[in-house]
Amino acid sequence: MERGEVERWLEVHPEAVHADPHELLDRAEREVRAHAVEEAWLYARSIAAEHLRRYHDSFGLPASDDFVANEVCHELARELRRREPSPRSRTSLPSDNVLRALEPPARDRVAQWLDELARTEEHRVWGEVVHLAEQLARRLRHDGELSAELRWDFSHSYPRTAERVTRLLMEQYETHAHGPEWIDDTE
C-alpha cells in the first residue's frame, strides 16, 4: 500500500481523522522510519555483542591487525546477513498522539501502511548494517588504524584484536541507532 492511497482514503473519510491527514501521516512516517532504523541498528549491535563474548576469554596466537579485522568483519557480515530481522507486525507504530487522532477504520488502514513501511525501512537499513560490517576493516586500514605487521605481544593476539574490531563496530552501530534520524516520541 502506498502513502497516496492512504491519503486519498483519509480525504474521502474525513470523519475518521481528527487532524490534518497530511501532517498526521508525515509525523507517523517519520516516527515509524526512525523506530525501524533504531531497532535494526540496535539488533545488529546485540549480534556484534554476542561475537564479542566469544573472544573475551579466549587465548590466541599473535596475528596481524588487518588479517584479524578482515576475518572478523567478514564473519560478522555473514552472520548479520543470515540473521536479518523478520518482519514483525506493528512493531513500530507511531505515538499515541497520532493514533488518538484516528478512528478505528482509519487506524487500521494507517497501521497496515505503516507495517509495510517499517518492513521496507528495516530491510533497507539492514543492508547498511551488513555493508558497514563488510567495509569496516577496509576503512580501518585506510585510516591507518590497522597494521599488516605481525607483533608478538599479547595485546595483538587474535582474540584481543578481534575484540577491538568488534567494539569499534558496536560503537558504529550504537551511533547509527541514535543518530540524527532518531526521534524522541515524548513530543
Side-chain angles (χ1 to χ4, degrees):
M1 177 181 304
E2 297 292 321
R3 178 184 166 135
E5 295 176 57
V6 176
E7 286 177 329
R8 285 189 292 282
W9 190 91
L10 292 175
E11 288 169 357
V12 172
H13 299 89
E15 73 285 352
V17 60
H18 306 291
D20 177 81
H22 302 290
E23 288 177 17
L24 186 86
L25 292 178
D26 285 345
R27 180 181 170 111
E29 184 174 356
R30 272 193 322 274
E31 289 180 12
V32 166
R33 284 184 188 277
H35 287 293
V37 166
E38 181 182 26
E39 288 175 11
W41 287 106
L42 290 178
Y43 179 57
R45 186 189 182 288
S46 73
I47 292 171
E50 290 174 20
H51 276 255
L52 181 64
R53 283 189 286 279
R54 293 180 195 164
Y55 304 122
H56 185 65
D57 294 325
S58 302
F59 177 78
L61 295 173
S64 67
D65 292 347
D66 66 342
F67 172 79
V68 176
N70 280 331
E71 197 166 274
V72 168
C73 289
H74 176 72
E75 179 183 323
L76 190 53
R78 187 176 26 161
E79 178 76 8
L80 290 166
R81 262 190 231 93
R82 188 180 66 75
R83 293 180 56 184
E84 180 173 354
S86 59
R88 294 169 297 192
S89 181
R90 300 181 189 223
T91 56
S92 302
L93 284 178
S95 64
D96 287 339
N97 292 337
V98 171
L99 295 176
R100 278 193 295 255
L102 299 167
E103 293 297 322
R107 190 176 304 138
D108 292 342
R109 178 143 327 229
V110 170
Q112 180 184 358
W113 168 65
L114 292 174
D115 282 346
E116 291 175 19
L117 179 67
R119 283 191 296 275
T120 301
E121 186 69 6
E122 193 170 71
H123 179 70
R124 181 192 67 77
V125 171
W126 202 253
E128 293 177 15
V129 163
V130 172
H131 183 73
L132 180 63
E134 290 171 336
Q135 297 301 313
L136 181 65
R138 182 177 298 141
R139 195 186 84 228
L140 291 172
R141 201 168 32 256
H142 179 267
D143 294 347
E145 295 183 41
L146 295 179
S147 168
E149 179 183 326
L150 182 60
R151 299 183 205 158
W152 291 91
D153 60 59
F154 186 67
S155 65
H156 288 277
S157 68
Y158 190 100
R160 300 299 76 82
T161 302
E163 281 182 347
R164 283 195 315 271
V165 170
T166 305
R167 285 183 199 285
L168 285 170
L169 191 60
M170 289 171 61
E171 288 172 14
Q172 291 288 315
Y173 287 164
E174 186 77 27
T175 300
H176 280 82
H178 300 296
E181 305 89 21
W182 189 72
I183 293 178
D184 182 7
D185 49 6
T186 58
E187 295 179 0

